[in-house]
Amino acid sequence: MIPRMLRAKARARAARLRVDYPRRGRGGVRRFLPSWRQVLGLALLCCGALAALVGYVYSTVRITDVNATARTEATVYYWADGSQMVSVGAVNRQNVPLSDIPVSLQNAVIATENAGFYTDPGFSVRGLARAVSNMAQGEEIQGGSTITQQYVKNTYLTQEQTLDRKLRELCLAVKLSRNLSKQDILQGYFNTSWFGRNAYGVQAAAVAYYGIDAKELDPARGALLAALLKGGDLYDPSVSEAHHRRAVARWRYVLDRQVELGFMSPQERAKYTVFPEPRPRSASLSTSLSGQIGYLVDVANKYIERRTGLTAEDLGRGGYRVRTTFDRALVEQLERTVEDVTARSPEAGEDLQVGAASVRPDDGAVLAVYGGPDATEHFANNADTSGVPVGSAFRPFVLAAAVRDGGDPEDVEDGDARDVEPGAVRDVAVGAGLLPQSMAPLDRSFTSGTSTPSAVRMADAYATFANGGRHTDLYAVTAISHQGKPLEGLERPGERQVLDGEVADEVVEQMRDVAVNALDPGALRTVGPVAAGRTDAGDGLPAAWFVGATEEMSTAVTVFRAEPGKDGLLPLTGGEDLPLGVWSSYMTTIQ
């Protein structure tokens, strides 16, 4: 009798402990609707688990020596053959005490980055809630970080957007707030933040932008540095007119925000109406990036950012090893050729710009670029720029669309593109490698070449024709590691058939006529079969192009006139034959 009673009690206890789900005594859908007790219990369980996790992370993270953590190695870039291309210095940073940072600049940064800095516990409840919400929706783990959190991220952590990193950032921010004064945290933040121009810290930024020490910054100049914290690569006013407009708008916001929060009186704000133009950007760049090296690094960095999510700020902090696809001999020969051909041209002048790029057709590797005379003086990369209309060098895409859809290629070659659907042409061009955002509006002028692809994209697209209609996306980096650890995201792009082989062959045959008419017989014998396209004198566009592809290499050359630092092109008065001269001399020399 007693054992039976004990077994009955055990069964009753187990029944009480068992979760009643699906719920007994309910029918239909109601069986699967949890009770309020179950919902509350689950919420308490989740909160308890989260609290335990936070407690564990909080107890295990350590505040290490700031200076030892902030010191990093240079980032080293390598040529395709493994030899070193350039070592982009150690971090450009000089620490200064908070007393050397003007109060007006401190107020500007607090007003725009973290208005509650002096009263918050090191983190923002609203920002934390946003990060949790983003995590629940499968989005990036982002939130409105406080100055303390940004300081932690700059000093102790990476810039990756993961829950683990965000949780460690939060715990370290709380620990720092308990162990350091707000003044110490603010000083550390000013000394580790990135301001663009490879400047880490306010002292390096003051020198890079104005050639003065941080303690000499007035409220107007300080407001620009505060504006740059939102993105040094987007708000440097010396880069372009678009950057200048963004910088001025942000500068005004920084000043107005200080008035709104009581850091500055309206009367004082009224003194600062003239934007404080910074010194030329060249003064802050390392000479190791001179010549073509800076353009090559620019191409590599953009590819890395696109494929891995790393930012220019991350790469600038150093410690990376980057293996590129660039062929040193080709880069040097392309640079010599451009310089020699333009030196012999009577039309060349200071406003004449040349951009060129070479791509390997069978795998899409970027082999060489010519971005301009010197990356430390001419910042825009002419090989990877937009805004230069391609003119009748766009005709092969029109021809390919016509042939693919059953049209007569002779009609296109005779100048009649009227029966070719612009949307079909766009699809062919994008499939071959041109970027959708470089495509012009689909109106009657579209097929005449009003689109504005870059030289490197044109070389890649022509390579598709030379490769039998098979296209591989461009790539410029084969491997990257950080402090010895390989990074993912740089797998070699796969090849895909974007045009029928017979269509590509027909286009190549038609394009060879351009090469025969443009090149001398000696050049043709040297480079072998070549599919080519070029702008016509009758295009009436402010740019000239020549693009030609063999089975081994595709090269695009463009020439245009532009005023440094200004958007838009000047009329191309002379120099129309320079692209052909550069292409022919370069391609025959490297054979």
Side-chain angles (χ1 to χ4, degrees), residues 27-349:
V29 178
R30 295 182 62 195
R31 293 190 64 215
F32 299 94
L33 295 177
S35 67
W36 68 268
R37 291 186 179 87
Q38 291 171 334
V39 172
L40 179 60
L42 180 61
L44 292 174
L45 180 63
C46 291
C47 290
L50 180 60
L53 177 62
V54 172
Y56 172 76
V57 174
Y58 184 86
S59 64
T60 55
V61 294
R62 295 288 183 266
I63 301 176
T64 56
D65 176 64
V66 173
N67 290 323
T69 306
R71 285 194 295 267
T72 58
E73 304 174 66
T75 288
V76 183
Y77 296 80
Y78 299 90
W79 297 103
D81 64 5
S83 60
Q84 182 171 315
M85 182 171 76
V86 65
S87 175
V88 181
V91 171
N92 176 25
R93 181 171 62 91
Q94 303 92 42
N95 289 340
V96 292
L98 191 63
S99 58
D100 280 354
I101 302 173
V103 174
S104 60
L105 176 55
Q106 297 179 39
N107 290 339
V109 169
I110 291 172
T112 52
E113 294 294 315
N114 183 190
F117 169 69
Y118 283 112
T119 57
D120 66 39
F123 67 92
S124 164
V125 176
R126 181 180 300 176
L128 179 61
R130 187 180 305 138
V132 172
S133 174
N134 289 343
M135 177 192 69
Q137 299 176 54
E139 299 176 359
E140 288 188 344
I141 313 300
Q142 298 185 45
S145 295
T146 63
I147 283 177
T148 307
Q149 287 175 274
Q150 293 181 55
Y151 173 47
V152 165
K153 184 169 60 175
N154 292 343
T155 308
Y156 301 103
L157 304 173
T158 66
Q159 306 294 311
E160 61 182 344
Q161 296 292 339
T162 63
L163 179 60
D164 173 65
R165 205 276 298 154
K166 196 70 178 178
L167 188 56
R168 286 186 289 126
E169 173 192 302
L170 175 65
C171 292
L172 277 170
V174 174
K175 277 196 171 184
L176 278 180
S177 293
R178 296 182 62 182
N179 289 276
L180 298 177
S181 68
K182 290 290 187 179
Q183 288 72 25
D184 288 338
I185 293 172
L186 189 60
Q187 174 178 292
Y189 173 72
F190 271 111
N191 282 320
T192 58
S193 293
W194 186 67
F195 291 83
R197 297 195 180 186
N198 198 35
Y200 289 84
V202 67
Q203 174 64 19
V207 172
Y209 286 90
Y210 292 108
I212 60 177
D213 289 330
K215 61 184 177 182
E216 300 175 36
L217 290 166
D218 59 20
R221 292 184 176 92
L224 176 61
L225 295 193
L228 290 165
L229 289 170
K230 189 171 179 64
D233 53 344
L234 293 175
Y235 291 86
D236 185 342
S238 300
V239 174
S240 68
E241 287 188 355
H243 282 71
H244 194 278
R245 288 192 296 271
R246 281 195 293 268
V248 171
R250 182 70 180 173
W251 174 77
R252 288 172 177 161
Y253 167 77
V254 171
L255 292 170
D256 293 340
R257 178 67 171 164
Q258 293 179 75
V259 176
E260 179 183 340
L261 295 179
F263 288 123
M264 181 183 288
S265 68
Q267 293 76 22
E268 185 180 3
R269 168 66 180 90
K271 299 177 184 177
Y272 310 116
T273 57
V274 178
F275 182 71
E277 298 289 349
R279 69 195 307 194
R281 190 167 177 245
S282 59
S284 68
L285 291 183
S286 167
T287 55
S288 65
L289 296 176
S290 61
Q292 300 306 304
I293 299 299
Y295 303 124
L296 296 171
V297 169
D298 174 66
V299 172
N301 285 354
K302 286 178 179 177
Y303 182 77
I304 293 168
E305 292 167 26
R306 192 164 60 248
R307 293 294 299 271
T308 69
L310 291 172
T311 65
E313 179 180 358
D314 299 332
L315 293 168
R317 290 187 183 280
Y320 293 91
R321 299 290 182 267
V322 181
R323 182 75 172 263
T324 74
T325 60
F326 307 132
D327 185 305
R328 181 173 187 169
L330 292 179
V331 170
E332 292 176 349
Q333 183 57 52
L334 183 56
E335 182 178 32
R336 283 194 298 268
T337 301
V338 172
E339 291 175 350
D340 291 345
V341 172
T342 54
R344 296 194 301 267
S345 172
E347 295 92 356

Side-chain angles (χ1 to χ4, degrees), residues 454-507:
S454 65
V456 70
R457 289 287 171 178
M458 282 294 285
D460 182 44
Y462 270 58
T464 301
F465 299 122
N467 198 36
R470 297 182 299 275
H471 175 72
T472 304
D473 290 338
L474 286 170
Y475 72 103
V477 175
T478 58
I480 182 172
S481 63
H482 183 250
Q483 297 179 346
K485 180 182 178 182
L487 273 64
E488 298 180 353
L490 294 173
E491 297 77 14
R492 189 75 59 86
E495 185 182 70
R496 60 187 185 277
Q497 192 80 36
V498 297
L499 278 175
D500 184 81
E502 294 182 358
V503 173
D505 292 342
E506 178 64 32
V507 173

